[in-house]
Amino acid sequence: MTEFKLNYHKTHFMTSAANIHQLPKDEGMEIAFAGRSNAGKSTALNALTNQKNLARTSKTPGRTQLINLFEVEPQYKLVDLPGYGYAAVPEQMKLQWQKSLGEYLQHRECLKGVVILMDIRHPLKDLDQQMIEWAVSSDLAVLLLLTKADKLSQSARSKQVKTVREAILPFQGDVQVEAFSAQNKIGIDKLAVKLDSWFSSLLTE
């Protein structure tokens, strides 16, 4: 059997949705990118796809207020979810985001995996742990990307990855942890390999 490999550089924007009801038909396969508003989700998507402006990055965390869908190839989609846990937005808006995030994670049948991004210097905050718990209880595979890894020395980075790997053992799900830096191209290959392994399961369904 030939190795399954998608070309993420061909990824293009599909649509934005304020809630699950505005999303395209629930078919094919989706992998969602989730994380705190300043974790670097958009930057990671741009690095993976080798496109500067595919996902909008902003100096103001919390700009991704919609569910953004990107198509790699027909049936294979990446999803940029609204960032969570950022204080500088009105409470009402925060609750709305939470609601659409919750609906998407619980009711979207074609969602098969979640990439959760966390700043390597401040991992596993309460909301991150809730997110992991949520994904595991929904039988979703999880990849934890510890972003901004270039901010630490190699030994500090390895130590932090090891610490996080040990800390997540109690979650008991299918959870992998990797260091990531868009800046220094750390972990981009590992991210692509993981996405390929998730997406390839669509062929066997």
Side-chain angles (χ1 to χ4, degrees):
M1 188 178 150
T2 54
E3 192 189 358
F4 179 84
K5 232 171 156 41
L6 288 173
N7 180 0
Y8 294 97
H9 295 184
K10 293 194 328 195
T11 306
H12 57 273
F13 174 75
M14 265 184 93
T15 187
S16 292
N19 56 53
I20 192 169
H21 310 293
Q22 295 176 0
L23 288 169
K25 220 168 151 187
D26 194 345
E27 62 184 11
M29 192 165 175
E30 291 173 3
I31 306 293
F33 282 62
R36 295 174 69 81
S37 299
N38 56 353
K41 280 190 293 91
S42 302
T43 306
L45 276 163
N46 290 342
L48 170 71
T49 58
N50 199 28
Q51 298 179 47
K52 278 198 176 76
N53 301 311
L54 179 75
R56 288 204 192 114
T57 57
S58 166
K59 293 280 179 244
T60 313
R63 285 295 293 276
T64 307
Q65 298 168 17
L66 299 167
I67 299 169
N68 292 310
L69 257 72
F70 303 94
E71 187 175 72
V72 186
E73 281 181 19
Q75 301 297 307
Y76 301 103
K77 299 184 284 288
L78 301 173
V79 184
D80 189 8
L81 293 175
Y84 52 79
Y86 192 67
V89 295
E91 194 59 33
Q92 189 55 42
M93 193 184 279
K94 243 194 287 192
L95 292 171
Q96 185 53 50
W97 291 358
Q98 243 168 338
K99 185 169 177 274
S100 57
L101 200 61
E103 280 183 341
Y104 174 78
L105 291 167
Q106 287 175 307
H107 302 299
R108 190 75 171 161
E109 295 289 329
C110 64
L111 174 66
K112 300 296 181 197
V114 184
V115 180
I116 300 175
L117 297 96
M118 306 182 286
D119 187 322
I120 193 164
R121 298 161 300 176
H122 319 287
L124 296 174
K125 301 255 177 144
D126 286 351
L127 288 168
D128 298 322
Q129 296 196 45
Q130 279 177 32
M131 193 71 177
I132 298 167
E133 222 167 276
W134 211 346
V136 169
S137 65
S138 305
D139 282 331
L140 293 170
V142 178
L143 173 62
L144 293 186
L145 280 191
L146 304 182
T147 62
K148 309 182 188 181
D150 53 284
K151 306 282 188 199
L152 297 182
S153 68
Q154 194 161 355
S155 62
R157 192 189 306 151
S158 303
K159 197 172 162 203
Q160 190 69 313
V161 169
K162 187 170 179 285
T163 303
V164 173
R165 281 180 180 154
E166 285 167 3
I168 59 158
L169 290 174
F171 290 106
Q172 297 184 324
D174 175 3
V175 187
Q176 184 178 329
V177 183
E178 299 294 346
F180 187 89
S181 164
Q183 184 101 20
N184 292 9
K185 308 269 187 284
I186 298 165
I188 295 176
D189 291 351
K190 285 182 176 167
L191 171 58
V193 166
K194 191 65 177 171
L195 293 174
D196 284 341
S197 77
W198 285 344
F199 279 132
S200 68
S201 66
L202 189 63
L203 301 174
T204 57
E205 281 183 8

